[in-house]
Amino acid sequence: MKKVFSVLGMAAGFSMLTTAGAFALDSSYESMSKSGTHQFYVWCTGKDDYVESSEGSDAKDAQAKLAAKAGNNCWPVWQGMVN
């Protein structure tokens, strides 16, 4: 079980590192309530996890739109607002 969580943690860290250079993210608490493009790490069961951005009036709205698109086996976790 430890090995599974270790692999998941390394995969999440690697994906954050590979996308961090592409654009800056504002992950402050205040940015969650702002309108614009929000980035999410999408955790999935039965398929690979991925990183995707979504537009919304705030982070919760963007998350709901992405969750509807991603399906029942995936859940987007907010990473920050794209600057």
Side-chain angles (χ1 to χ4, degrees):
M1 192 66 160
K2 285 184 182 180
K3 190 179 270 189
V4 171
F5 287 117
S6 175
V7 170
L8 287 175
M10 290 187 329
F14 179 73
S15 69
M16 285 185 246
L17 286 175
T18 57
T19 59
F23 43 81
L25 290 178
D26 179 2
S27 57
S28 67
Y29 182 76
E30 295 79 24
S31 66
M32 292 180 81
S33 62
K34 294 180 182 176
S35 176
T37 304
H38 296 266
Q39 179 175 300
F40 297 87
Y41 183 86
V42 184
W43 292 93
C44 297
T45 56
K47 67 178 191 175
D48 292 337
D49 300 338
Y50 58 96
V51 175
E52 189 166 336
S53 297
S54 179
E55 292 283 328
S57 59
D58 58 20
K60 193 174 236 183
D61 179 49
Q63 182 183 40
K65 290 176 183 176
L66 191 53
K69 179 179 156 187
N72 293 334
N73 294 332
C74 297
W75 185 251
V77 179
W78 187 75
Q79 289 185 315
M81 185 168 183
V82 178
N83 290 326

